[in-house]
Amino acid sequence: MSQQQISLPAKLINGGIAGIVGVTCVFPIDLAKTRLQNQRRGQQVYKSMMDCLVKTVRSEGYFGMYRGAAVNLTLVTPEKAIKLAANDFFRHHLAKDGKGLTVFKEMLAGCGAGMCQVIVTTPMEMLKIQLQDAGRLAVQQQKPVMMTPTKLVATNAVLSRSYNSGMVISAPRAVSATQIAKELLQTQGIRGLYKGLGATLMRDVPFSIVYFPLFANLNRLGKPSPEASSPFYWAFLSGCAAGSTAAVAVNPCDVVKTRLQSLNKGASEETYSGVVDCVSKIMQKEGPSAFLKGASCRALVIAPLFGIAQVMYFVGAGEYILDNSPLRLLGQ
C-alpha cells in the first residue's frame, strides 16, 4: 500500500456503495438489535431476534422493519466512506518507509479511522435509534382490544419525545428524523445531535482497532503470493470474520451507547447522566449479561456489511466509476 497512490475519491465511492448495499440487506436485524438492547429486565417485549422481527411485521407491517432506514441510508455513505478511506489514508502514511505495517501501526491506523467516523456516526445513530425504538415503546403502552379470535388490534398511541425528563407521554403524531433533528437543534443546539459522543467513541475506536488489523492479517492468508491479491471470496470472508469478531468484542459499549442515545423511555425505565452512571445502573439492575444484549444481531449486521465493503474495494467499483464518468478528474 505504501507503494501505491491512494485515490481518495475512489475510496469514498467504494465505502459509500458498500454502506448502502449492506444497510439495505441487514437493516431489519439492526432494528432488532436496538430494540433488544433497550429492553429492561422484567419488561421484555421480545424474546429473541426472530421474535422481534415477527412481532414487528405483525404490528407495524413489513416496512416497520425499516424504521430509521432513510436516515441510515442518507448518512451511511459518508460514514462508511470516512471510516474506510481514513484507515487507508493512515496506513498509507504510516508505511512511508516502504516496509510492511506492524500490528501496532495497523491498530493506530484503525484508531484514527474510528475517531474520524464519529463526526457522522453520532448524529446518524442518534436519529436512527429514536425511530427504531419507537415500535417497542408503543407496544409497551398498548391496550389490546379483542377484535377477532385471532387478531388483537392495539391503540395507536405514539410516545412524544421528552428530551430532559424521560417522561412517557401519549401523543397522536408520528415522528420523522427531520422532526427529531429540528427539535434537538432548537432545544439543545448541535450538542443535542451529538449526545452519546463519548460512548460512540468508546465503541467505534476499539472496533476499528480490532477490525482493520484482523482483516488485514486474515486477508493476507488468502494471498497466493506476497505480491498478489487474495481472491474476492476470501476478501469477503475475511471482512465477515473480522467484522463479527470486532462487533461482539465492543458490544458492551454499543449497549451503553444505545441506552444513552434513547431519548424516549418506557414506563419505569431509568435515565442515565453519563457513561459511568449507565454502566453502574446496568450492572446493578440487570447484571453483566445485559452488556451482551443484541450481540448476535450486531455480529449478523456487521459481518456482511464489512464483507461487502471489502468486495467493493476488491472489484474497484469506485475506480471504475471515476474512470468512466466526468468525475474522473477527481481521482487524479
Side-chain angles (χ1 to χ4, degrees):
M1 182 172 292
S2 62
Q3 303 298 326
Q4 300 171 359
Q5 173 124 16
I6 290 181
S7 173
L8 188 59
K11 301 299 182 186
L12 294 174
I13 293 172
N14 283 332
I17 293 173
I20 291 172
V21 174
V23 166
T24 303
C25 294
V26 301
F27 192 84
I29 304 175
D30 187 61
L31 178 136
K33 180 217 63 148
T34 297
R35 293 187 177 183
L36 289 170
Q37 286 182 339
N38 263 332
Q39 289 190 140
R40 272 53 162 188
R41 179 176 290 176
Q43 298 177 323
Q44 284 91 343
V45 177
Y46 313 108
K47 298 176 183 177
S48 64
M49 178 186 74
M50 285 306 301
D51 182 55
C52 179
L53 294 176
V54 169
K55 287 180 178 176
T56 298
V57 172
R58 286 177 179 172
S59 61
E60 303 170 54
Y62 174 78
F63 290 106
M65 294 191 298
Y66 284 87
R67 276 198 178 196
V71 66
N72 221 35
L73 288 171
T74 302
L75 296 178
V76 75
T77 297
E79 190 254 355
K80 285 289 176 287
I82 288 171
K83 184 187 192 83
L84 297 171
N87 180 68
D88 278 354
F89 176 82
F90 289 121
R91 288 177 67 92
H92 175 71
H93 285 279
L94 288 170
K96 275 189 171 180
D97 56 2
K99 299 178 182 178
L101 287 174
T102 63
V103 173
F104 175 74
K105 286 187 175 181
E106 289 178 335
M107 293 172 70
L108 201 59
C111 177
M115 294 182 72
C116 290
Q117 78 169 86
V118 297
I119 297 170
V120 177
T121 303
T122 305
M124 178 184 75
E125 292 277 315
M126 184 71 181
L127 298 175
K128 182 192 73 171
I129 284 171
Q130 314 318 314
L131 298 172
Q132 285 183 328
D133 203 38
R136 179 188 69 89
L137 294 170
V139 169
Q140 277 194 358
Q141 69 165 16
Q142 282 178 344
K143 297 179 180 179
V145 179
M146 187 64 70
M147 301 298 291
T148 69
T150 58
K151 187 175 181 180
L152 291 177
V153 177
T155 57
N156 189 30
V158 181
L159 296 181
S160 69
R161 294 173 302 283
S162 179
Y163 300 112
N164 299 317
S165 65
M167 296 291 288
V168 181
I169 307 168
S170 294
R173 65 191 183 105
V175 297
S176 68
T178 305
Q179 289 173 317
I180 296 171
K182 190 180 296 184
E183 289 191 24
L184 281 170
L185 288 172
Q186 289 174 348
T187 58
Q188 301 181 29
I190 194 68
R191 290 175 55 192
L193 286 175
Y194 280 87
K195 183 178 180 181
L197 175 62
T200 306
L201 279 167
M202 281 176 54
R203 181 195 68 170
D204 289 346
V205 171
F207 177 92
S208 297
I209 289 174
V210 173
Y211 171 78
F212 286 110
L214 183 56
F215 168 77
N217 286 280
L218 288 175
N219 194 48
R220 195 175 297 126
L221 296 175
K223 293 182 178 181
S225 66
E227 295 77 21
S229 298
S230 59
F232 84 93
Y233 69 85
W234 190 269
F236 175 79
L237 292 174
S238 297
C240 288
S244 58
T245 301
V248 173
V250 302
N251 196 75
C253 299
D254 191 54
V255 171
V256 173
K257 182 197 72 68
T258 300
R259 296 283 182 93
L260 287 173
Q261 289 188 319
S262 296
L263 300 176
N264 298 326
K265 305 294 182 183
S268 303
E269 290 183 355
E270 64 282 338
T271 56
Y272 310 105
S273 60
V275 173
V276 176
D277 181 55
C278 182
V279 172
S280 176
K281 286 180 178 177
I282 291 175
M283 281 291 291
Q284 289 175 4
K285 298 184 179 182
E286 302 174 63
S289 61
F291 291 106
L292 292 178
K293 284 183 176 181
S296 59
C297 294
R298 182 161 165 76
L300 288 173
V301 168
I302 297 297
L305 197 60
F306 280 88
I308 292 168
Q310 297 304 337
V311 170
M312 288 298 107
Y313 270 50
F314 180 88
V315 300
E319 288 82 351
Y320 178 82
I321 291 172
L322 286 176
D323 290 342
N324 293 275
S325 75
L327 298 173
R328 61 183 177 274
L329 293 177
L330 292 175
Q332 297 177 354

